[in-house]
Tab-separated table of all heavy atoms in Angstrom:
chain	number	residue	atom	x	y	z
G	1025	ALA	N	-20.854	-14.268	33.983
G	1025	ALA	CA	-22.018	-13.890	34.787
G	1025	ALA	C	-22.329	-12.427	34.519
G	1025	ALA	O	-21.431	-11.613	34.328
G	1025	ALA	CB	-21.726	-14.117	36.268
G	1026	TYR	N	-23.627	-12.092	34.526
G	1026	TYR	CA	-24.029	-10.744	34.144
G	1026	TYR	C	-24.998	-10.138	35.156
G	1026	TYR	O	-26.206	-10.032	34.893
G	1026	TYR	CB	-24.662	-10.765	32.758
G	1026	TYR	CG	-23.712	-11.205	31.670
G	1026	TYR	CD1	-23.685	-12.514	31.217
G	1026	TYR	CD2	-22.814	-10.296	31.111
G	1026	TYR	CE1	-22.806	-12.912	30.224
G	1026	TYR	CE2	-21.931	-10.687	30.116
G	1026	TYR	CZ	-21.933	-11.996	29.679
G	1026	TYR	OH	-21.049	-12.386	28.702
G	1027	PRO	N	-24.498	-9.696	36.309
G	1027	PRO	CA	-25.394	-9.020	37.254
G	1027	PRO	C	-26.003	-7.755	36.673
G	1027	PRO	O	-27.132	-7.387	37.018
G	1027	PRO	CB	-24.490	-8.708	38.455
G	1027	PRO	CG	-23.088	-8.820	37.945
G	1027	PRO	CD	-23.137	-9.837	36.858
G	1028	SER	N	-25.288	-7.084	35.758
G	1028	SER	CA	-25.840	-5.871	35.150
G	1028	SER	C	-27.098	-6.185	34.348
G	1028	SER	O	-28.026	-5.369	34.284
G	1028	SER	CB	-24.792	-5.186	34.266
G	1028	SER	OG	-24.354	-6.054	33.232
G	1029	SER	N	-27.153	-7.366	33.729
G	1029	SER	CA	-28.347	-7.756	32.978
G	1029	SER	C	-29.542	-7.946	33.901
G	1029	SER	O	-30.686	-7.679	33.510
G	1029	SER	CB	-28.097	-9.047	32.190
G	1029	SER	OG	-27.299	-8.793	31.051
G	1030	VAL	N	-29.289	-8.422	35.104
G	1030	VAL	CA	-30.372	-8.561	36.082
G	1030	VAL	C	-30.988	-7.195	36.364
G	1030	VAL	O	-32.209	-7.012	36.304
G	1030	VAL	CB	-29.860	-9.185	37.393
G	1030	VAL	CG1	-31.005	-9.306	38.406
G	1030	VAL	CG2	-29.231	-10.552	37.145
G	1031	LEU	N	-30.134	-6.213	36.659
G	1031	LEU	CA	-30.625	-4.870	36.969
G	1031	LEU	C	-31.371	-4.262	35.792
G	1031	LEU	O	-32.453	-3.690	35.949
G	1031	LEU	CB	-29.452	-3.958	37.355
G	1031	LEU	CG	-28.595	-4.378	38.552
G	1031	LEU	CD1	-27.486	-3.354	38.792
G	1031	LEU	CD2	-29.443	-4.545	39.808
G	1032	MET	N	-30.803	-4.377	34.590
G	1032	MET	CA	-31.375	-3.723	33.421
G	1032	MET	C	-32.704	-4.335	32.987
G	1032	MET	O	-33.556	-3.650	32.411
G	1032	MET	CB	-30.386	-3.773	32.255
G	1032	MET	CG	-29.128	-2.961	32.457
G	1032	MET	SD	-29.479	-1.182	32.409
G	1032	MET	CE	-27.806	-0.519	32.612
G	1033	ASN	N	-32.899	-5.620	33.244
G	1033	ASN	CA	-34.143	-6.278	32.852
G	1033	ASN	C	-35.203	-6.224	33.942
G	1033	ASN	O	-36.388	-6.043	33.656
G	1033	ASN	CB	-33.884	-7.732	32.460
G	1033	ASN	CG	-33.237	-7.880	31.091
G	1033	ASN	OD1	-33.926	-7.876	30.082
G	1033	ASN	ND2	-31.928	-7.976	31.050
G	1034	ALA	N	-34.789	-6.369	35.186
G	1034	ALA	CA	-35.770	-6.463	36.273
G	1034	ALA	C	-36.287	-5.100	36.726
G	1034	ALA	O	-37.479	-4.944	37.019
G	1034	ALA	CB	-35.158	-7.204	37.463
G	1035	ILE	N	-35.410	-4.096	36.802
G	1035	ILE	CA	-35.831	-2.812	37.376
G	1035	ILE	C	-36.912	-2.125	36.542
G	1035	ILE	O	-37.922	-1.670	37.093
G	1035	ILE	CB	-34.611	-1.905	37.621
G	1035	ILE	CG1	-33.793	-2.474	38.798
G	1035	ILE	CG2	-35.035	-0.472	37.909
G	1035	ILE	CD1	-32.506	-1.739	39.083
G	1036	PRO	N	-36.779	-2.026	35.210
G	1036	PRO	CA	-37.885	-1.405	34.466
G	1036	PRO	C	-39.190	-2.184	34.578
G	1036	PRO	O	-40.268	-1.587	34.558
G	1036	PRO	CB	-37.379	-1.350	33.026
G	1036	PRO	CG	-36.215	-2.262	32.957
G	1036	PRO	CD	-35.626	-2.303	34.324
G	1037	ALA	N	-39.110	-3.510	34.714
G	1037	ALA	CA	-40.329	-4.299	34.910
G	1037	ALA	C	-40.982	-3.938	36.237
G	1037	ALA	O	-42.208	-3.762	36.321
G	1037	ALA	CB	-40.000	-5.791	34.864
G	1038	GLN	N	-40.155	-3.807	37.268
G	1038	GLN	CA	-40.688	-3.444	38.582
G	1038	GLN	C	-41.268	-2.032	38.562
G	1038	GLN	O	-42.353	-1.777	39.094
G	1038	GLN	CB	-39.590	-3.551	39.645
G	1038	GLN	CG	-40.124	-3.426	41.069
G	1038	GLN	CD	-38.997	-3.382	42.082
G	1038	GLN	OE1	-38.062	-2.612	41.932
G	1038	GLN	NE2	-39.102	-4.204	43.123
G	1039	VAL	N	-40.560	-1.105	37.929
G	1039	VAL	CA	-41.044	0.271	37.829
G	1039	VAL	C	-42.370	0.318	37.065
G	1039	VAL	O	-43.270	1.092	37.405
G	1039	VAL	CB	-39.992	1.168	37.139
G	1039	VAL	CG1	-40.582	2.531	36.773
G	1039	VAL	CG2	-38.772	1.356	38.040
G	1040	ALA	N	-42.509	-0.528	36.048
G	1040	ALA	CA	-43.743	-0.561	35.258
G	1040	ALA	C	-44.932	-1.041	36.080
G	1040	ALA	O	-46.078	-0.784	35.716
G	1040	ALA	CB	-43.562	-1.457	34.038
G	1041	GLY	N	-44.660	-1.747	37.170
G	1041	GLY	CA	-45.734	-2.252	38.012
G	1041	GLY	C	-45.986	-3.728	37.897
G	1041	GLY	O	-46.997	-4.242	38.398
G	1042	VAL	N	-45.080	-4.466	37.235
G	1042	VAL	CA	-45.222	-5.925	37.128
G	1042	VAL	C	-45.145	-6.537	38.531
G	1042	VAL	O	-44.208	-6.268	39.288
G	1042	VAL	CB	-44.120	-6.515	36.223
G	1042	VAL	CG1	-44.219	-8.031	36.176
G	1042	VAL	CG2	-44.221	-5.940	34.817
G	1043	GLN	N	-46.121	-7.358	38.862
G	1043	GLN	CA	-46.188	-7.907	40.212
G	1043	GLN	C	-45.300	-9.133	40.416
G	1043	GLN	O	-44.796	-9.364	41.507
G	1043	GLN	CB	-47.641	-8.286	40.553
G	1043	GLN	CG	-48.572	-7.086	40.639
G	1043	GLN	CD	-48.127	-6.098	41.705
G	1043	GLN	OE1	-47.994	-6.443	42.875
G	1043	GLN	NE2	-47.883	-4.856	41.292
G	1044	GLU	N	-45.102	-9.926	39.362
G	1044	GLU	CA	-44.283	-11.138	39.479
G	1044	GLU	C	-43.169	-11.099	38.437
G	1044	GLU	O	-43.445	-11.043	37.234
G	1044	GLU	CB	-45.118	-12.393	39.288
G	1044	GLU	CG	-46.087	-12.702	40.414
G	1044	GLU	CD	-46.774	-14.037	40.203
G	1044	GLU	OE1	-46.077	-15.075	40.203
G	1044	GLU	OE2	-48.006	-14.029	40.006
G	1045	ILE	N	-41.936	-11.128	38.901
G	1045	ILE	CA	-40.767	-11.144	38.027
G	1045	ILE	C	-40.014	-12.438	38.307
G	1045	ILE	O	-39.406	-12.613	39.368
G	1045	ILE	CB	-39.858	-9.930	38.286
G	1045	ILE	CG1	-40.648	-8.621	38.108
G	1045	ILE	CG2	-38.653	-9.949	37.354
G	1045	ILE	CD1	-39.880	-7.377	38.534
G	1046	VAL	N	-40.085	-13.364	37.356
G	1046	VAL	CA	-39.472	-14.685	37.513
G	1046	VAL	C	-38.159	-14.698	36.742
G	1046	VAL	O	-38.147	-14.526	35.522
G	1046	VAL	CB	-40.403	-15.793	36.998
G	1046	VAL	CG1	-39.759	-17.164	37.216
G	1046	VAL	CG2	-41.762	-15.722	37.683
G	1047	MET	N	-37.076	-14.893	37.438
G	1047	MET	CA	-35.760	-14.900	36.806
G	1047	MET	C	-35.239	-16.329	36.692
G	1047	MET	O	-35.296	-17.100	37.656
G	1047	MET	CB	-34.785	-14.065	37.643
G	1047	MET	CG	-33.364	-14.020	37.120
G	1047	MET	SD	-32.357	-12.933	38.176
G	1047	MET	CE	-31.076	-14.078	38.690
G	1048	VAL	N	-34.758	-16.686	35.504
G	1048	VAL	CA	-34.093	-17.971	35.323
G	1048	VAL	C	-32.639	-17.705	34.959
G	1048	VAL	O	-32.329	-16.788	34.210
G	1048	VAL	CB	-34.779	-18.838	34.237
G	1048	VAL	CG1	-36.174	-19.244	34.674
G	1048	VAL	CG2	-34.841	-18.118	32.893
G	1049	VAL	N	-31.757	-18.495	35.520
G	1049	VAL	CA	-30.327	-18.343	35.256
G	1049	VAL	C	-29.671	-19.708	35.365
G	1049	VAL	O	-29.831	-20.408	36.365
G	1049	VAL	CB	-29.668	-17.343	36.235
G	1049	VAL	CG1	-29.901	-17.729	37.699
G	1049	VAL	CG2	-28.181	-17.189	35.951
G	1050	PRO	N	-28.955	-20.150	34.333
G	1050	PRO	CA	-28.273	-21.449	34.422
G	1050	PRO	C	-27.106	-21.376	35.400
G	1050	PRO	O	-26.478	-20.321	35.559
G	1050	PRO	CB	-27.791	-21.694	32.989
G	1050	PRO	CG	-27.696	-20.331	32.377
G	1050	PRO	CD	-28.763	-19.502	33.016
G	1051	THR	N	-26.834	-22.491	36.047
G	1051	THR	CA	-25.689	-22.571	36.958
G	1051	THR	C	-24.865	-23.802	36.586
G	1051	THR	O	-24.997	-24.859	37.207
G	1051	THR	CB	-26.160	-22.665	38.427
G	1051	THR	OG1	-27.100	-23.747	38.557
G	1051	THR	CG2	-26.828	-21.383	38.875
G	1052	PRO	N	-24.031	-23.686	35.548
G	1052	PRO	CA	-23.211	-24.833	35.130
G	1052	PRO	C	-22.403	-25.405	36.286
G	1052	PRO	O	-21.816	-24.660	37.073
G	1052	PRO	CB	-22.304	-24.226	34.059
G	1052	PRO	CG	-23.081	-23.069	33.522
G	1052	PRO	CD	-23.813	-22.503	34.712
G	1053	ASP	N	-22.428	-26.732	36.399
G	1053	ASP	CA	-21.741	-27.453	37.482
G	1053	ASP	C	-22.296	-27.086	38.852
G	1053	ASP	O	-21.673	-27.340	39.881
G	1053	ASP	CB	-20.225	-27.188	37.444
G	1053	ASP	CG	-19.605	-27.570	36.111
G	1053	ASP	OD1	-19.844	-28.713	35.668
G	1053	ASP	OD2	-18.921	-26.733	35.499
G	1054	GLY	N	-23.479	-26.483	38.876
G	1054	GLY	CA	-24.123	-26.153	40.140
G	1054	GLY	C	-23.561	-24.942	40.852
G	1054	GLY	O	-23.885	-24.698	42.014
G	1055	VAL	N	-22.737	-24.158	40.165
G	1055	VAL	CA	-22.089	-23.002	40.799
G	1055	VAL	C	-22.953	-21.758	40.617
G	1055	VAL	O	-23.238	-21.344	39.491
G	1055	VAL	CB	-20.689	-22.756	40.210
G	1055	VAL	CG1	-20.050	-21.529	40.845
G	1055	VAL	CG2	-19.807	-23.989	40.416
G	1056	LYS	N	-23.369	-21.154	41.725
G	1056	LYS	CA	-24.181	-19.941	41.688
G	1056	LYS	C	-23.287	-18.716	41.829
G	1056	LYS	O	-22.424	-18.679	42.704
G	1056	LYS	CB	-25.212	-19.954	42.827
G	1056	LYS	CG	-26.202	-21.090	42.747
G	1056	LYS	CD	-27.095	-21.123	43.976
G	1056	LYS	CE	-28.050	-22.306	43.923
G	1056	LYS	NZ	-28.856	-22.428	45.163
G	1057	ASN	N	-23.512	-17.736	40.989
G	1057	ASN	CA	-22.743	-16.504	41.061
G	1057	ASN	C	-23.377	-15.568	42.081
G	1057	ASN	O	-24.547	-15.196	41.962
G	1057	ASN	CB	-22.696	-15.833	39.682
G	1057	ASN	CG	-21.865	-14.567	39.691
G	1057	ASN	OD1	-22.352	-13.499	40.044
G	1057	ASN	ND2	-20.599	-14.690	39.308
G	1058	GLN	N	-22.598	-15.167	43.077
G	1058	GLN	CA	-23.147	-14.376	44.169
G	1058	GLN	C	-23.555	-12.972	43.744
G	1058	GLN	O	-24.535	-12.414	44.260
G	1058	GLN	CB	-22.129	-14.309	45.320
G	1058	GLN	CG	-21.833	-15.668	45.965
G	1058	GLN	CD	-23.086	-16.337	46.496
G	1058	GLN	OE1	-23.680	-15.873	47.469
G	1058	GLN	NE2	-23.503	-17.426	45.867
G	1059	MET	N	-22.851	-12.380	42.789
G	1059	MET	CA	-23.237	-11.042	42.338
G	1059	MET	C	-24.561	-11.069	41.585
G	1059	MET	O	-25.358	-10.130	41.677
G	1059	MET	CB	-22.146	-10.416	41.467
G	1059	MET	CG	-21.021	-9.773	42.249
G	1059	MET	SD	-19.995	-8.680	41.214
G	1059	MET	CE	-21.011	-7.188	41.161
G	1060	VAL	N	-24.797	-12.128	40.827
G	1060	VAL	CA	-26.066	-12.263	40.110
G	1060	VAL	C	-27.212	-12.391	41.114
G	1060	VAL	O	-28.262	-11.742	40.964
G	1060	VAL	CB	-26.026	-13.471	39.158
G	1060	VAL	CG1	-27.426	-13.833	38.664
G	1060	VAL	CG2	-25.121	-13.177	37.972
């Protein structure tokens, strides 16, 4: 799991002024990572 990738990809988009940031992340076996 890569919570750091979430921060590095989403924050500059938000700073740029992007209004909609859609994140997709697979959850093998239905397990969601809480830090992500």
Side-chain angles (χ1 to χ4, degrees):
Y1026 297 97
S1028 59
S1029 285
V1030 179
L1031 301 180
M1032 293 290 182
N1033 285 276
I1035 289 176
Q1038 190 186 50
V1039 169
V1042 177
Q1043 294 300 303
E1044 290 186 64
I1045 303 172
V1046 182
M1047 178 177 122
V1048 294
V1049 56
T1051 53
D1053 303 309
V1055 178
K1056 298 174 183 175
N1057 182 276
Q1058 296 303 291
M1059 278 195 80
V1060 166

